[in-house]
Amino acid sequence: EDKVVQSPLSLVVHEGDTVTLNCSYEVTNFRSLLWYKQEKKAPTFLFMLTSSGIEKKSGRLSSILDKKELSSILNITATQTGDSAIYLCAVKTGNQFYFGTGTSLTVIP
Amino acid sequence: DAGVIQSPRHEVTEMGQEVTLRCKPISGHNSLFWYRQTMMRGLELLIYFNNNVPIDDSGMPEDRFSAKMPNASFSTLKIQPSEPRDSAVYFCASSLRVWGTSGVSYAEQYFGPGTRLTVT
């Protein structure tokens, strides 16, 4: 059965901390892995990863895929209260998108 | 671009009633996805369309659910009859499906604001 697992389920940090969110997957016919940020509304796209070992960066956020380990990490440096959200990982296979249950990040001032 | 548009934003209905959710994808996108999100099960893909054709509806929970895409700019998700366990946020997303050197790939999906459905 194809599945995507995210860890931790929830995380509380102080402003300025660096966090690492994990996503592991077991799927057949992997095509790509996507990260989304969801606040109190619809998910917004962060990154799409298809190649192993190539880091994608956007400001304080970065992500990398490890196809050998079947996993990806999302790093957020110098966290801010505006980073508080649920971070979703999704894996695209040949026919399906599978989402993890998300990591709930809370950044305390 | 206005992004993906969904209506209604909130729907409260009684058990047994028919519910129709609507979605207008981003102009030019050729793939459309319907998702359901609950606290218990997270975000689940229900069905998706490529060029208005349903490709995979294995996520549709049961025969009470049906989805149509009569043209490239409109899709509906219908629940008939509705049940309390259908209460969830229903998202529509659209994407561009492209052909590359390694086969079909999808660009990132853009989500609509969602419809919060409550069935009492």
Side-chain angles (χ1 to χ4, degrees):
Chain A
E1 182 184 337
D2 294 337
K3 63 180 179 180
V4 176
V5 178
Q6 292 186 245
S7 64
L9 290 181
S10 65
L11 195 55
V12 180
V13 300
H14 289 95
E15 263 191 321
D17 288 351
T18 293
V19 297
T20 298
L21 310 183
N22 300 283
C23 176
S24 62
Y25 58 91
E26 291 180 30
V27 301
T28 53
N29 197 13
F30 172 91
R31 293 291 181 89
S32 60
L33 185 145
L34 302 95
W35 284 97
Y36 289 86
K37 177 183 181 181
Q38 185 174 24
E39 298 167 270
K40 291 181 181 177
K41 48 191 177 183
T44 54
F45 172 77
L46 295 176
F47 300 110
M48 182 167 69
L49 307 163
T50 55
S51 300
S52 205
I54 298 175
E55 185 182 53
K56 292 210 172 181
K57 287 182 69 89
S58 176
R60 295 176 294 100
L61 277 67
S62 64
S63 184
I64 195 163
L65 175 66
D66 187 336
K67 284 186 177 179
K68 189 182 278 189
E69 296 296 325
L70 306 183
S71 65
S72 172
I73 59 171
L74 175 68
N75 279 319
I76 309 175
T77 59
T79 51
Q80 303 172 357
T81 55
D83 296 328
S84 296
I86 295 173
Y87 290 83
L88 295 166
C89 169
V91 172
K92 168 72 175 70
T93 66
N95 287 320
Q96 276 281 356
F97 283 85
Y98 295 92
F99 278 81
T101 52
T103 292
S104 175
L105 174 65
T106 303
V107 181
I108 300 171
Chain B
D1 195 321
V4 176
I5 299 172
Q6 288 186 248
S7 65
R9 295 293 304 277
H10 302 274
E11 177 81 34
V12 180
T13 190
E14 292 184 346
M15 183 173 66
Q17 296 297 307
E18 176 180 298
V19 175
T20 300
L21 312 181
R22 297 173 177 80
C23 175
K24 177 178 166 53
I26 292 173
S27 177
H29 282 187
N30 53 13
S31 296
L32 183 140
F33 307 80
W34 281 103
Y35 291 90
R36 176 173 67 177
Q37 187 173 39
T38 62
M39 290 290 289
M40 293 294 291
R41 295 187 299 271
L43 200 62
E44 303 170 281
L45 177 65
L46 300 176
I47 184 172
Y48 75 95
F49 297 82
N50 285 336
N51 296 317
N52 314 338
V53 176
I55 300 302
D56 191 327
D57 65 353
S58 58
M60 296 284 261
E62 48 200 270
D63 292 344
R64 297 184 297 106
F65 285 68
S66 62
K68 293 182 180 179
M69 192 165 185
N71 57 62
S73 59
F74 184 67
S75 177
T76 59
L77 177 69
K78 186 177 291 187
I79 308 172
Q80 166 64 20
S82 57
E83 296 182 4
R85 60 192 167 123
D86 301 331
S87 297
V89 179
Y90 290 81
F91 288 105
C92 172
S94 71
S95 174
L96 197 59
R97 181 174 180 263
V98 297
W99 288 93
T101 54
S102 57
V104 173
S105 66
Y106 289 84
E108 63 272 20
Q109 295 177 40
Y110 292 86
F111 282 74
T115 295
R116 182 173 294 278
L117 173 65
T118 303
V119 183
T120 60

